[in-house]
């Protein structure tokens, strides 16, 4: 069984807001203000893939159909870092789809490129993507990819079990969770829960991953007439980005004792008609 | 005449659905378009939350695309039903509420019909022929202004960002639409539903008061304290992603960018640092109280009131004080039912 995990590189979403700056020309976050990391839900997706592989191994010992995990990313050469991260967590292979020299990417184009790569990797049984990227929160690439491939797809999945020719996926609903059975091959977009918190790599694996050679696939290798990707793509244009202003002043409740603070907080809330 | 269509894959119209209609209506007024609300449901009967459906004065018309095959939700059938509605009505703009089902359908529909897609929309206006969209990016650290000039355009509007439509819904003609469902296209099947109960029985979306806990609680026990405080305040309990990921509380309690978007009168953040991805989920709160040991925590930048201190001392003191003042009035514990709970 082959599982493809799609990863993308983003500006560290946990960087302090006080250091956040914009680049008005690029209409994006300024370069160099923070680390570049694997988008958080993509890390959850890789974790889910690793767990699927472990469960199959536990169940069958040495299975006749071993699980192979392939990490894919579309991006500039620097995006290779996310692939090395995936290898350090023991993905079996990692491939960079290089966008160097091409216009900026957007969801539908990324999905077309990923779909072409998945077809090239045939046979693939399962493709995992994060539910949304941690920078633009588009929430679309996984679903676009499923449409492009014409596969079953389930969104907001936190856990996957293999059952015969199907996958049992635990998906988030507005009320809790649902177990959904999906036919193979399938695409799932991954959300977080307590079972898929990304593990940490071992030092030795990180060192091995740093030295691994990464195959690079180019866009013309994957799609015919790549320029039409940009011409035909339906999209909205970015006019500008701005940092929303907040002018709140917090009233800190003081007091000699914690009881006093509690009394004063409740008083302040009553004054504001909150209680 | 242009058309803005609100697609509601549900049999129940709640505030989140009314907000999507509100967003569509605000746009349609500036853009001289008409608004069609289309429900996708197993039957046209027993739709909850409809008000005065046959009222002729409303500028919002209602269509119901019903098919018994839609009883169990399947993305394949719901995407196909949406596509059929759009082929018929040819709307320029399609608006979805940000429910999990809608968030699954919207991108697939957009791709299928070759439409542009914007999710997490918090502002919407017309500018000549174009539609101008605002959405938070970088976890809410920035807002992006997007311009759509090609249609159709699919939008998912963020809960608690638009005023809900409170008017009547007028039946379209014919208001019950025939759609085809092809069961052989179904590739996914619902096996089981696992309901996660809201803490203190109050749903986060409807709650007037929310007490929310983060990693600073240090473990699940801390949430028992928050639950007790929430009961005294008649509120619900929420959490940060860190607390959910730790397994201390169910993931459905998560508030923020990828959790629930809430708009209570009072939001008490306990042991939550105030990451932008959390704050974007509470931008509708009227009053934010922060309780945190770290006076430099970013939460104090967005809070109205704050106590710097250990929650293990502050929360029991608040509960004791509520008990004391309450004993003075009625003696009994306060009720915990929200105005519009379910
Ligand atoms: C794409 C994306 C989506 C995300 N979506 C969400 C989301 O929906 N919701 C969400 O919450 N997060 C979300 N996050 C994660 C978010 O960035 C933060 O990591 C998270 O909110 C941090 O949770 P926290 O405040 O509980 O933990 P921390 O940041 O670790 O804060 C803990 C706080 O507790 C305080 N504390 C410690 N001990 C005590 C004590 N005894 N008493 C009082 N205070 C104490 C500390 O001073 C600290 O401020 C998302 C991130 C990404 C990248």
């Amino acid at each position: 069984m082959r599982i493809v995990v799609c990863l993308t590189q983003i500006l560290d979403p946990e960087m302090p807001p006080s250091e956040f700056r914009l680049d008005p020309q690029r209409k994006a976050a300024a370069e160099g203000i923070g680390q570049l990391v694997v988008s958080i839900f993509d890390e959850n997706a890789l974790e889910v893939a690793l767990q699927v592989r472990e469960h199959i191994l536990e169940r069958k010992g040495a299975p006749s159909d071993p699980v192979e995990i392939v990490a894919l990313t579309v991006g500039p050469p620097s995006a290779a870092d996310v692939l090395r991260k995936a290898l350090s967590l023991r993905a079996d292979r990692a491939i960079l789809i290089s966008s160097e020299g091409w216009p900026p990417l957007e969801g539908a184009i990324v999905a077309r490129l990923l779909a072409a790569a998945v077809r090239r990797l045939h046979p693939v049984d399962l493709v995992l993507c994060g539910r949304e990227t941690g920078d633009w929160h588009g929430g679309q690439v996984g679903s676009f990819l499923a449409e492009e491939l014409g596969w079953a797809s389930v969104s907001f999945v936190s856990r996957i079990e293999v059952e015969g020719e199907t996958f049992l996926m635990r998906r988030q609903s507005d009320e809790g969770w649902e177990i959904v059975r999906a036919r193979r091959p399938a695409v799932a977009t991954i959300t977080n829960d307590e079972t898929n918190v990304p593990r940490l790599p071992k030092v030795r694996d990180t060192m091995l991953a740093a030295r691994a050679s990464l195959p690079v696939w180019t866009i013309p290798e994957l799609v015919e007439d790549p320029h039409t990707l940009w011409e035909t793509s339906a999209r909205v244009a970015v006019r500008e980005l701005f940092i929303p202003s907040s002018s709140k002043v917090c009233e800190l409740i003081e007091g000699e004792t914690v009881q006093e603070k509690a009394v004063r907080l409740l008083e302040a809330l009553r004054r504001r008609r909150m209680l | 005449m242009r058309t803005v269509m609100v697609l509601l894959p549900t049999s129940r119209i709640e505030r989140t659905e009314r907000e999507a209609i509100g967003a569509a209506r605000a746009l349609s007024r500036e853009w001289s378009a008409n608004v069609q609300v289309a429900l996708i449901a197993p039957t046209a009967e027993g739709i909850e939350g409809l008000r005065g459906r046959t009222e002729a004065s409303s500028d919002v018309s209602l269509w119901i695309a019903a098919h018994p095959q839609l009883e169990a939700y399947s993305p394949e059938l719901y995407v196909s039903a949406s596509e059929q509605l759009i082929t018929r009505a040819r709307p320029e703009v399609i608006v979805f509420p940000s429910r999990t089902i809608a968030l699954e359908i919207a991108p697939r529909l957009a791709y299928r019909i070759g439409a542009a897609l914007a999710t997490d929309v918090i502002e919407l206006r017309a500018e000549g022929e174009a539609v101008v969209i605002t959405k938070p990016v970088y976890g809410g650290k920035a807002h992006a202004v997007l311009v759509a000039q090609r249609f159709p355009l699919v939008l998912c509007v963020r809960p608690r960002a638009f005023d809900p439509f409170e008017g009547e819904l007028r039946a379209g003609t014919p208001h019950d639409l025939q759609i085809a469902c092809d069961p052989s296209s179904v590739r996914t099947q619902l096996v089981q539903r696992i309901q996660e109960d809201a803490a203190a029985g109050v749903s986060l979306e409807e709650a007037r008061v929310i007490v929310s806990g983060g990693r600073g609680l240090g473990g699940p026990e801390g949430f028992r304290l928050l639950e007790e405080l929430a009961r005294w305040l008649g509120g619900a309990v929420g959490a940060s992603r860190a607390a959910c990921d730790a397994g201390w509380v169910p993931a459905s309690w998560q508030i923020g960018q990828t959790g629930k978007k809430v708009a209570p009168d009072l939001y008490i953040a306990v042991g939550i640092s105030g990451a932008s991805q959390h704050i974007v989920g509470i931008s509708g709160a009227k009053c934010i109280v922060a309780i945190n040991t770290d006076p430099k925590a970013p939460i104090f930048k967005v809070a109205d009131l704050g106590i710097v201190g250990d929650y293990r001392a502050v929360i029991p003191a608040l509960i004791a004080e509520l008990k004391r003042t309450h004993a003075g009035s009625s003696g009994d514990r306060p009720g915990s039912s929200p105005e519009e709970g379910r």
Side-chain angles (χ1 to χ4, degrees), chain B residues 259-277:
Chain B
K260 302 255 152 69
K261 315 287 188 299
V262 298
D265 290 340
L266 175 59
Y267 187 83
I268 307 181
V270 187
I272 291 178
S273 64
S276 58
Q277 293 87 351

Side-chain angles (χ1 to χ4, degrees), chain B:
Chain B
M1 182 101 169
R2 285 182 279 225
T3 299
V4 179
M5 179 174 255
V6 184
L7 271 184
L8 304 175
T10 181
S11 306
R12 187 156 59 189
I13 299 181
E14 293 183 344
R15 175 163 164 185
T16 301
E17 283 70 29
R18 290 189 173 274
E19 287 170 357
I21 303 172
R25 198 143 161 275
L27 174 67
S28 71
R29 285 196 165 159
E30 290 181 42
W31 214 36
S32 59
N34 70 318
V35 176
Q36 292 181 356
V37 179
L39 260 80
I40 304 176
T43 122
E45 307 307 315
I47 303 288
E48 282 177 55
L50 280 187
R51 296 176 202 160
R53 195 178 126 186
T54 49
E55 184 60 49
S57 61
S58 173
D59 56 349
V60 178
S61 58
L62 176 76
W63 308 66
I64 301 177
H67 196 290
Q69 287 283 347
L70 299 170
E71 181 69 54
Y73 165 68
S74 114
E76 296 84 9
L77 296 181
Y78 273 71
V79 172
S80 157
S82 308
E83 192 187 1
Q84 292 173 51
L85 288 174
I86 284 158
T87 313
R88 209 164 311 173
R90 306 216 155 273
E92 276 74 19
V93 179
I94 300 139
V95 180
F96 281 96
S98 293
R99 298 274 193 197
T100 46
I101 287 183
L103 291 176
E104 180 168 47
I105 297 172
R108 297 186 54 179
L109 176 71
Y111 197 84
R112 204 171 283 188
I113 64 175
L117 169 71
T119 52
D120 230 2
V121 175
I122 60 168
E123 272 174 43
L124 205 51
R125 60 192 168 78
E127 203 181 85
E129 297 290 301
V131 174
V132 180
I133 300 156
T134 308
K135 74 165 274 175
V137 291
Y138 298 104
K141 292 188 192 75
H143 286 180
V145 181
L146 312 171
V147 185
Q149 262 157 335
R150 280 183 44 191
F151 304 101
L153 167 70
V154 177
L155 303 172
C156 298
V157 297
R158 169 179 284 229
R160 308 303 171 260
F162 292 90
D163 289 332
F165 170 69
E166 295 295 359
E168 317 258 305
L169 292 167
R170 174 165 51 87
T173 37
H175 63 263
D176 296 330
L177 292 175
Q178 295 298 313
I179 47 162
C181 279
D182 173 13
S184 72
S185 69
V186 173
R187 293 198 175 83
T188 59
Q189 178 202 349
L190 180 67
V191 180
Q192 192 193 345
R193 267 207 184 94
I194 306 161
Q195 191 102 10
E196 266 176 1
D197 289 330
V202 182
S203 97
L204 284 169
E205 280 103 333
E206 310 290 347
R208 286 191 50 248
V209 176
I210 295 174
V211 185
S212 206
R215 193 181 344 245
L217 263 54
E221 315 76 40
F223 276 92
R224 304 292 90 78
L225 271 179
L226 299 199
E227 275 165 5
E228 193 179 345
L229 178 60
R231 270 197 299 278
W232 279 95
L233 299 172
V237 179
S240 73
R241 173 171 168 159
C244 297
D245 280 356
W248 301 340
V249 292
S252 57
W253 293 19
Q254 183 176 317
I255 291 171
Q257 171 70 34
T258 47
K260 302 255 152 69
K261 315 287 188 299
V262 298
D265 290 340
L266 175 59
Y267 187 83
I268 307 181
V270 187
I272 291 178
S273 64
S276 58
Q277 293 87 351
H278 186 77
I279 301 308
V280 290
I282 60 172
S283 55
K286 291 208 184 85
C287 176
I288 298 174
V289 176
I291 297 170
N292 198 303
T293 43
D294 175 8
K296 292 206 190 71
I299 188 75
F300 290 114
K301 290 222 161 65
V302 295
D304 299 277
L305 295 163
I307 293 184
V308 177
D310 191 324
Y311 85 92
R312 285 167 293 197
V314 176
I315 303 296
L318 283 170
I319 294 170
E321 185 54 24
L322 283 166
K323 270 189 191 155
R324 199 181 60 78
T325 48
H326 213 269
S329 48
S330 73
D332 228 9
R333 255 149 132 249
S336 62
S337 65
E339 280 175 347
E340 225 188 301
R342 63 169 175 97

Side-chain angles (χ1 to χ4, degrees), chain A:
Chain A
M1 179 162 74
R2 186 169 288 146
I3 306 176
V4 169
V5 182
C6 306
L7 306 151
T8 187
Q9 188 177 46
I10 60 163
L11 173 67
D12 183 1
E14 306 274 353
M15 70 169 294
S18 55
E19 282 161 35
F20 185 82
R21 303 272 178 282
L22 290 170
D23 178 342
Q25 245 71 57
R26 285 175 60 241
K27 295 175 187 164
E31 274 176 15
I33 54 173
Q35 272 189 295
L36 297 178
V37 300
V38 182
S39 185
I40 181 162
F41 292 108
D42 303 350
E43 289 196 85
N44 295 120
L46 178 59
E47 178 62 35
V48 169
L50 295 168
Q51 289 181 15
V52 168
R53 187 173 66 186
E54 282 160 6
H55 290 162
I56 289 184
L57 270 177
E58 273 164 30
R59 233 175 20 200
K60 299 205 212 145
S64 51
D65 175 21
V67 178
E68 185 191 43
I69 298 175
V70 185
L72 279 186
T73 192
V74 185
S78 67
D81 287 352
V82 307
L83 297 178
R84 296 198 189 279
K85 179 83 190 276
L87 288 174
S88 75
L89 289 164
R90 314 202 78 166
D92 299 286
R93 293 160 66 189
I95 300 159
L96 173 71
I97 302 167
S98 174
S99 64
E100 206 181 17
W102 293 91
L105 298 164
E106 38 145 317
I109 296 175
V110 172
R112 288 278 300 278
L113 295 171
L114 289 171
V118 167
R119 289 193 192 105
R120 202 176 183 191
L121 287 165
H122 181 82
V124 172
D125 301 273
L126 181 62
V127 178
L128 304 182
C129 298
R131 62 176 283 178
E132 65 183 51
T133 59
D135 50 7
W136 277 77
H137 311 289
Q140 42 186 263
V141 170
S143 303
F144 287 178
L145 178 59
E147 280 292 314
E148 177 65 29
L149 292 167
W151 290 7
S153 100
V154 185
S155 300
F156 314 121
V157 171
S158 74
R159 242 181 268 177
I160 298 177
E161 270 177 54
V162 180
E163 204 183 71
E165 280 305 298
T166 66
F167 298 107
L168 287 180
M169 305 201 183
R170 179 175 145 102
R171 74 169 247 138
Q172 194 159 39
S173 70
D174 290 328
E175 286 82 32
W177 298 92
E178 291 169 353
I179 307 295
V180 176
R181 185 188 303 282
R183 282 199 225 151
R184 278 198 215 191
V187 177
T189 78
I190 304 298
T191 194
N192 63 295
D193 77 357
E194 73 283 3
T195 67
N196 64 24
V197 177
R199 65 190 69 187
L200 295 173
K202 298 206 174 70
V203 178
R204 185 174 161 273
D205 291 330
T206 303
M207 279 159 42
L208 285 175
R211 288 201 299 266
S213 73
L214 296 172
V216 178
W217 290 357
T218 65
I219 291 178
E221 263 178 274
L222 287 172
V223 288
E224 278 173 42
D225 292 334
H227 287 282
T228 58
L229 285 180
W230 279 269
E231 283 155 20
T232 58
S233 134
R235 64 173 163 153
V236 289
V238 182
R239 176 180 284 173
E240 59 163 341
L241 261 60
F242 64 93
I243 296 177
S245 63
S246 135
S247 52
K248 263 201 187 168
V249 183
C250 178
E251 178 187 338
L252 279 186
I253 308 289
E254 307 289 350
E256 293 289 310
T257 62
V258 69
Q259 282 74 22
E260 213 173 291
K261 288 185 191 172
V263 172
R264 288 193 184 153
L265 175 61
L266 293 174
E267 277 171 11
L269 288 174
R270 284 193 193 100
R271 261 202 316 277
R272 288 166 192 244
R273 304 193 179 283
M274 286 296 150
L275 295 184

